[in-house]
Amino acid sequence: MINSEQLNLEYSNSYGLIFEDRFYVHRENDLSCINLNKVKKIKLVKGRTFKINFITFFMSCLMISFSFLLGHDQIIFKYLFYLASFGFFVSSFLLKKYDYTIIVVTIDYQPIKISVDVDFKNDAKEIVAKVNKKLMKTEK
């Protein structure tokens, strides 16, 4: 038999659901259930990924080294390679890409990491804020 208290939906958005005693979040195309009585802390962490920066920097270095292989009769192509490599070099420092992760710390201090798609960043932020509010209420 299901208690009526377990069915009380308090909040929902496209990223997850919050009930009175648990919450659900999207995790690898599935909903993960986490009981609130086992959660000590939850937060959304923003981290920077450098993969695109390394790729553009590598492309810049590759184009510069390839331009040294061109002869003196192909000076226009040489300058085009210099210009393109300068563009890749500058973009390797200017491009910024971030990834987001929800970290749930349990009572046993075991972290649960849930990666968040950039499209659901704001919804995940709301879920984390609501769950933190519920955790603060239960602590008092």
PDB file of all heavy atoms in Angstrom, residues 57-79:
ATOM      1  N   PHE A  57      44.570  25.037 -30.659  1.00  0.00           N
ATOM      2  CA  PHE A  57      45.995  25.331 -30.508  1.00  0.00           C
ATOM      3  C   PHE A  57      46.844  24.357 -31.332  1.00  0.00           C
ATOM      4  O   PHE A  57      47.811  24.750 -31.990  1.00  0.00           O
ATOM      5  CB  PHE A  57      46.405  25.277 -29.033  1.00  0.00           C
ATOM      6  CG  PHE A  57      47.820  25.681 -28.790  1.00  0.00           C
ATOM      7  CD1 PHE A  57      48.183  27.016 -28.819  1.00  0.00           C
ATOM      8  CD2 PHE A  57      48.805  24.729 -28.548  1.00  0.00           C
ATOM      9  CE1 PHE A  57      49.499  27.405 -28.608  1.00  0.00           C
ATOM     10  CE2 PHE A  57      50.116  25.104 -28.340  1.00  0.00           C
ATOM     11  CZ  PHE A  57      50.463  26.448 -28.375  1.00  0.00           C
ATOM     12  N   PHE A  58      46.470  23.095 -31.323  1.00  0.00           N
ATOM     13  CA  PHE A  58      47.179  22.091 -32.117  1.00  0.00           C
ATOM     14  C   PHE A  58      47.054  22.391 -33.610  1.00  0.00           C
ATOM     15  O   PHE A  58      48.022  22.252 -34.369  1.00  0.00           O
ATOM     16  CB  PHE A  58      46.648  20.692 -31.789  1.00  0.00           C
ATOM     17  CG  PHE A  58      47.285  19.605 -32.587  1.00  0.00           C
ATOM     18  CD1 PHE A  58      48.595  19.221 -32.349  1.00  0.00           C
ATOM     19  CD2 PHE A  58      46.577  18.965 -33.592  1.00  0.00           C
ATOM     20  CE1 PHE A  58      49.189  18.229 -33.103  1.00  0.00           C
ATOM     21  CE2 PHE A  58      47.160  17.966 -34.341  1.00  0.00           C
ATOM     22  CZ  PHE A  58      48.470  17.599 -34.096  1.00  0.00           C
ATOM     23  N   MET A  59      45.853  22.816 -34.041  1.00  0.00           N
ATOM     24  CA  MET A  59      45.663  23.173 -35.449  1.00  0.00           C
ATOM     25  C   MET A  59      46.541  24.363 -35.824  1.00  0.00           C
ATOM     26  O   MET A  59      47.107  24.407 -36.923  1.00  0.00           O
ATOM     27  CB  MET A  59      44.190  23.502 -35.725  1.00  0.00           C
ATOM     28  CG  MET A  59      43.283  22.303 -35.757  1.00  0.00           C
ATOM     29  SD  MET A  59      43.676  21.185 -37.101  1.00  0.00           S
ATOM     30  CE  MET A  59      43.297  22.200 -38.502  1.00  0.00           C
ATOM     31  N   SER A  60      46.683  25.320 -34.925  1.00  0.00           N
ATOM     32  CA  SER A  60      47.543  26.468 -35.169  1.00  0.00           C
ATOM     33  C   SER A  60      48.995  26.031 -35.353  1.00  0.00           C
ATOM     34  O   SER A  60      49.669  26.457 -36.292  1.00  0.00           O
ATOM     35  CB  SER A  60      47.432  27.454 -34.007  1.00  0.00           C
ATOM     36  OG  SER A  60      48.407  28.448 -34.082  1.00  0.00           O
ATOM     37  N   CYS A  61      49.462  25.186 -34.459  1.00  0.00           N
ATOM     38  CA  CYS A  61      50.843  24.690 -34.559  1.00  0.00           C
ATOM     39  C   CYS A  61      51.046  23.864 -35.819  1.00  0.00           C
ATOM     40  O   CYS A  61      52.097  23.959 -36.482  1.00  0.00           O
ATOM     41  CB  CYS A  61      51.192  23.859 -33.329  1.00  0.00           C
ATOM     42  SG  CYS A  61      51.262  24.797 -31.810  1.00  0.00           S
ATOM     43  N   LEU A  62      50.071  23.063 -36.176  1.00  0.00           N
ATOM     44  CA  LEU A  62      50.159  22.240 -37.372  1.00  0.00           C
ATOM     45  C   LEU A  62      50.224  23.096 -38.632  1.00  0.00           C
ATOM     46  O   LEU A  62      51.013  22.819 -39.543  1.00  0.00           O
ATOM     47  CB  LEU A  62      48.966  21.282 -37.427  1.00  0.00           C
ATOM     48  CG  LEU A  62      48.992  20.193 -38.466  1.00  0.00           C
ATOM     49  CD1 LEU A  62      50.097  19.200 -38.141  1.00  0.00           C
ATOM     50  CD2 LEU A  62      47.653  19.499 -38.519  1.00  0.00           C
ATOM     51  N   MET A  63      49.416  24.155 -38.679  1.00  0.00           N
ATOM     52  CA  MET A  63      49.415  25.021 -39.856  1.00  0.00           C
ATOM     53  C   MET A  63      50.719  25.811 -39.981  1.00  0.00           C
ATOM     54  O   MET A  63      51.221  26.019 -41.090  1.00  0.00           O
ATOM     55  CB  MET A  63      48.212  25.953 -39.828  1.00  0.00           C
ATOM     56  CG  MET A  63      46.903  25.218 -40.020  1.00  0.00           C
ATOM     57  SD  MET A  63      45.516  26.314 -40.042  1.00  0.00           S
ATOM     58  CE  MET A  63      45.500  26.720 -41.771  1.00  0.00           C
ATOM     59  N   ILE A  64      51.263  26.249 -38.854  1.00  0.00           N
ATOM     60  CA  ILE A  64      52.554  26.959 -38.888  1.00  0.00           C
ATOM     61  C   ILE A  64      53.651  26.024 -39.387  1.00  0.00           C
ATOM     62  O   ILE A  64      54.466  26.395 -40.242  1.00  0.00           O
ATOM     63  CB  ILE A  64      52.909  27.517 -37.495  1.00  0.00           C
ATOM     64  CG1 ILE A  64      52.082  28.733 -37.174  1.00  0.00           C
ATOM     65  CG2 ILE A  64      54.381  27.856 -37.367  1.00  0.00           C
ATOM     66  CD1 ILE A  64      52.475  29.983 -37.922  1.00  0.00           C
ATOM     67  N   SER A  65      53.677  24.805 -38.875  1.00  0.00           N
ATOM     68  CA  SER A  65      54.724  23.868 -39.302  1.00  0.00           C
ATOM     69  C   SER A  65      54.543  23.469 -40.766  1.00  0.00           C
ATOM     70  O   SER A  65      55.527  23.266 -41.485  1.00  0.00           O
ATOM     71  CB  SER A  65      54.742  22.641 -38.392  1.00  0.00           C
ATOM     72  OG  SER A  65      53.526  21.951 -38.484  1.00  0.00           O
ATOM     73  N   PHE A  66      53.304  23.364 -41.231  1.00  0.00           N
ATOM     74  CA  PHE A  66      53.069  23.020 -42.636  1.00  0.00           C
ATOM     75  C   PHE A  66      53.467  24.172 -43.552  1.00  0.00           C
ATOM     76  O   PHE A  66      53.909  23.937 -44.686  1.00  0.00           O
ATOM     77  CB  PHE A  66      51.604  22.643 -42.853  1.00  0.00           C
ATOM     78  CG  PHE A  66      51.306  22.172 -44.236  1.00  0.00           C
ATOM     79  CD1 PHE A  66      51.766  20.941 -44.677  1.00  0.00           C
ATOM     80  CD2 PHE A  66      50.577  22.950 -45.114  1.00  0.00           C
ATOM     81  CE1 PHE A  66      51.503  20.497 -45.959  1.00  0.00           C
ATOM     82  CE2 PHE A  66      50.306  22.521 -46.395  1.00  0.00           C
ATOM     83  CZ  PHE A  66      50.769  21.287 -46.820  1.00  0.00           C
ATOM     84  N   SER A  67      53.313  25.404 -43.057  1.00  0.00           N
ATOM     85  CA  SER A  67      53.670  26.550 -43.900  1.00  0.00           C
ATOM     86  C   SER A  67      55.177  26.607 -44.158  1.00  0.00           C
ATOM     87  O   SER A  67      55.618  27.163 -45.160  1.00  0.00           O
ATOM     88  CB  SER A  67      53.196  27.855 -43.274  1.00  0.00           C
ATOM     89  OG  SER A  67      53.933  28.140 -42.115  1.00  0.00           O
ATOM     90  N   PHE A  68      55.992  26.041 -43.263  1.00  0.00           N
ATOM     91  CA  PHE A  68      57.435  26.004 -43.490  1.00  0.00           C
ATOM     92  C   PHE A  68      57.815  25.043 -44.614  1.00  0.00           C
ATOM     93  O   PHE A  68      58.902  25.156 -45.194  1.00  0.00           O
ATOM     94  CB  PHE A  68      58.188  25.630 -42.214  1.00  0.00           C
ATOM     95  CG  PHE A  68      58.174  26.702 -41.177  1.00  0.00           C
ATOM     96  CD1 PHE A  68      57.741  26.431 -39.892  1.00  0.00           C
ATOM     97  CD2 PHE A  68      58.603  27.989 -41.471  1.00  0.00           C
ATOM     98  CE1 PHE A  68      57.728  27.425 -38.925  1.00  0.00           C
ATOM     99  CE2 PHE A  68      58.603  28.980 -40.510  1.00  0.00           C
ATOM    100  CZ  PHE A  68      58.156  28.699 -39.239  1.00  0.00           C
ATOM    101  N   LEU A  69      56.933  24.104 -44.910  1.00  0.00           N
ATOM    102  CA  LEU A  69      57.208  23.156 -45.989  1.00  0.00           C
ATOM    103  C   LEU A  69      56.952  23.744 -47.368  1.00  0.00           C
ATOM    104  O   LEU A  69      57.417  23.199 -48.371  1.00  0.00           O
ATOM    105  CB  LEU A  69      56.354  21.898 -45.799  1.00  0.00           C
ATOM    106  CG  LEU A  69      56.615  21.085 -44.535  1.00  0.00           C
ATOM    107  CD1 LEU A  69      55.639  19.927 -44.444  1.00  0.00           C
ATOM    108  CD2 LEU A  69      58.046  20.580 -44.515  1.00  0.00           C
ATOM    109  N   LEU A  70      56.179  24.842 -47.427  1.00  0.00           N
ATOM    110  CA  LEU A  70      55.884  25.454 -48.721  1.00  0.00           C
ATOM    111  C   LEU A  70      57.104  26.201 -49.233  1.00  0.00           C
ATOM    112  O   LEU A  70      57.870  26.798 -48.471  1.00  0.00           O
ATOM    113  CB  LEU A  70      54.699  26.416 -48.589  1.00  0.00           C
ATOM    114  CG  LEU A  70      53.359  25.778 -48.219  1.00  0.00           C
ATOM    115  CD1 LEU A  70      52.321  26.855 -47.995  1.00  0.00           C
ATOM    116  CD2 LEU A  70      52.902  24.838 -49.312  1.00  0.00           C
ATOM    117  N   GLY A  71      57.267  26.193 -50.539  1.00  0.00           N
ATOM    118  CA  GLY A  71      58.424  26.847 -51.152  1.00  0.00           C
ATOM    119  C   GLY A  71      58.235  28.351 -51.286  1.00  0.00           C
ATOM    120  O   GLY A  71      57.191  28.916 -50.951  1.00  0.00           O
ATOM    121  N   HIS A  72      59.270  29.004 -51.813  1.00  0.00           N
ATOM    122  CA  HIS A  72      59.229  30.454 -51.989  1.00  0.00           C
ATOM    123  C   HIS A  72      58.283  30.881 -53.103  1.00  0.00           C
ATOM    124  O   HIS A  72      57.834  32.016 -53.130  1.00  0.00           O
ATOM    125  CB  HIS A  72      60.634  30.995 -52.280  1.00  0.00           C
ATOM    126  CG  HIS A  72      61.553  30.860 -51.107  1.00  0.00           C
ATOM    127  ND1 HIS A  72      61.378  31.571 -49.944  1.00  0.00           N
ATOM    128  CD2 HIS A  72      62.652  30.095 -50.921  1.00  0.00           C
ATOM    129  CE1 HIS A  72      62.333  31.254 -49.093  1.00  0.00           C
ATOM    130  NE2 HIS A  72      63.125  30.347 -49.650  1.00  0.00           N
ATOM    131  N   ASP A  73      57.985  29.991 -54.042  1.00  0.00           N
ATOM    132  CA  ASP A  73      57.091  30.361 -55.125  1.00  0.00           C
ATOM    133  C   ASP A  73      55.616  30.320 -54.705  1.00  0.00           C
ATOM    134  O   ASP A  73      54.758  30.782 -55.433  1.00  0.00           O
ATOM    135  CB  ASP A  73      57.321  29.451 -56.347  1.00  0.00           C
ATOM    136  CG  ASP A  73      57.178  27.983 -56.001  1.00  0.00           C
ATOM    137  OD1 ASP A  73      57.236  27.651 -54.807  1.00  0.00           O
ATOM    138  OD2 ASP A  73      57.012  27.180 -56.939  1.00  0.00           O
ATOM    139  N   GLN A  74      55.317  29.812 -53.527  1.00  0.00           N
ATOM    140  CA  GLN A  74      53.941  29.746 -53.023  1.00  0.00           C
ATOM    141  C   GLN A  74      53.771  30.685 -51.827  1.00  0.00           C
ATOM    142  O   GLN A  74      53.195  30.324 -50.815  1.00  0.00           O
ATOM    143  CB  GLN A  74      53.609  28.309 -52.635  1.00  0.00           C
ATOM    144  CG  GLN A  74      53.691  27.354 -53.789  1.00  0.00           C
ATOM    145  CD  GLN A  74      53.620  25.910 -53.335  1.00  0.00           C
ATOM    146  OE1 GLN A  74      53.871  25.612 -52.184  1.00  0.00           O
ATOM    147  NE2 GLN A  74      53.284  25.029 -54.258  1.00  0.00           N
ATOM    148  N   ILE A  75      54.230  31.896 -51.975  1.00  0.00           N
ATOM    149  CA  ILE A  75      54.245  32.845 -50.865  1.00  0.00           C
ATOM    150  C   ILE A  75      52.834  33.254 -50.436  1.00  0.00           C
ATOM    151  O   ILE A  75      52.594  33.515 -49.246  1.00  0.00           O
ATOM    152  CB  ILE A  75      55.120  34.076 -51.228  1.00  0.00           C
ATOM    153  CG1 ILE A  75      55.483  34.879 -49.980  1.00  0.00           C
ATOM    154  CG2 ILE A  75      54.430  34.978 -52.218  1.00  0.00           C
ATOM    155  CD1 ILE A  75      56.558  34.251 -49.189  1.00  0.00           C
ATOM    156  N   ILE A  76      51.893  33.296 -51.374  1.00  0.00           N
ATOM    157  CA  ILE A  76      50.509  33.666 -51.025  1.00  0.00           C
ATOM    158  C   ILE A  76      49.908  32.603 -50.113  1.00  0.00           C
ATOM    159  O   ILE A  76      49.264  32.923 -49.108  1.00  0.00           O
ATOM    160  CB  ILE A  76      49.665  33.867 -52.300  1.00  0.00           C
ATOM    161  CG1 ILE A  76      50.183  35.093 -53.052  1.00  0.00           C
ATOM    162  CG2 ILE A  76      48.199  34.035 -51.952  1.00  0.00           C
ATOM    163  CD1 ILE A  76      49.531  35.309 -54.381  1.00  0.00           C
ATOM    164  N   PHE A  77      50.116  31.331 -50.456  1.00  0.00           N
ATOM    165  CA  PHE A  77      49.601  30.258 -49.614  1.00  0.00           C
ATOM    166  C   PHE A  77      50.265  30.275 -48.239  1.00  0.00           C
ATOM    167  O   PHE A  77      49.636  29.969 -47.232  1.00  0.00           O
ATOM    168  CB  PHE A  77      49.800  28.897 -50.279  1.00  0.00           C
ATOM    169  CG  PHE A  77      48.942  28.698 -51.485  1.00  0.00           C
ATOM    170  CD1 PHE A  77      49.529  28.529 -52.725  1.00  0.00           C
ATOM    171  CD2 PHE A  77      47.567  28.693 -51.380  1.00  0.00           C
ATOM    172  CE1 PHE A  77      48.742  28.345 -53.845  1.00  0.00           C
ATOM    173  CE2 PHE A  77      46.771  28.504 -52.488  1.00  0.00           C
ATOM    174  CZ  PHE A  77      47.350  28.335 -53.731  1.00  0.00           C
ATOM    175  N   LYS A  78      51.526  30.625 -48.218  1.00  0.00           N
ATOM    176  CA  LYS A  78      52.265  30.694 -46.964  1.00  0.00           C
ATOM    177  C   LYS A  78      51.649  31.748 -46.032  1.00  0.00           C
ATOM    178  O   LYS A  78      51.417  31.498 -44.846  1.00  0.00           O
ATOM    179  CB  LYS A  78      53.732  31.015 -47.249  1.00  0.00           C
ATOM    180  CG  LYS A  78      54.673  30.667 -46.155  1.00  0.00           C
ATOM    181  CD  LYS A  78      56.093  30.910 -46.607  1.00  0.00           C
ATOM    182  CE  LYS A  78      56.919  29.714 -46.234  1.00  0.00           C
ATOM    183  NZ  LYS A  78      58.321  29.837 -46.535  1.00  0.00           N
ATOM    184  N   TYR A  79      51.344  32.926 -46.589  1.00  0.00           N
ATOM    185  CA  TYR A  79      50.725  33.980 -45.784  1.00  0.00           C
ATOM    186  C   TYR A  79      49.298  33.624 -45.371  1.00  0.00           C
ATOM    187  O   TYR A  79      48.853  33.982 -44.276  1.00  0.00           O
ATOM    188  CB  TYR A  79      50.763  35.314 -46.514  1.00  0.00           C
ATOM    189  CG  TYR A  79      52.132  35.941 -46.521  1.00  0.00           C
ATOM    190  CD1 TYR A  79      52.729  36.333 -47.705  1.00  0.00           C
ATOM    191  CD2 TYR A  79      52.839  36.131 -45.338  1.00  0.00           C
ATOM    192  CE1 TYR A  79      53.989  36.892 -47.725  1.00  0.00           C
ATOM    193  CE2 TYR A  79      54.108  36.689 -45.334  1.00  0.00           C
ATOM    194  CZ  TYR A  79      54.677  37.067 -46.528  1.00  0.00           C
ATOM    195  OH  TYR A  79      55.929  37.618 -46.528  1.00  0.00           O
TER     196      TYR A  79
END
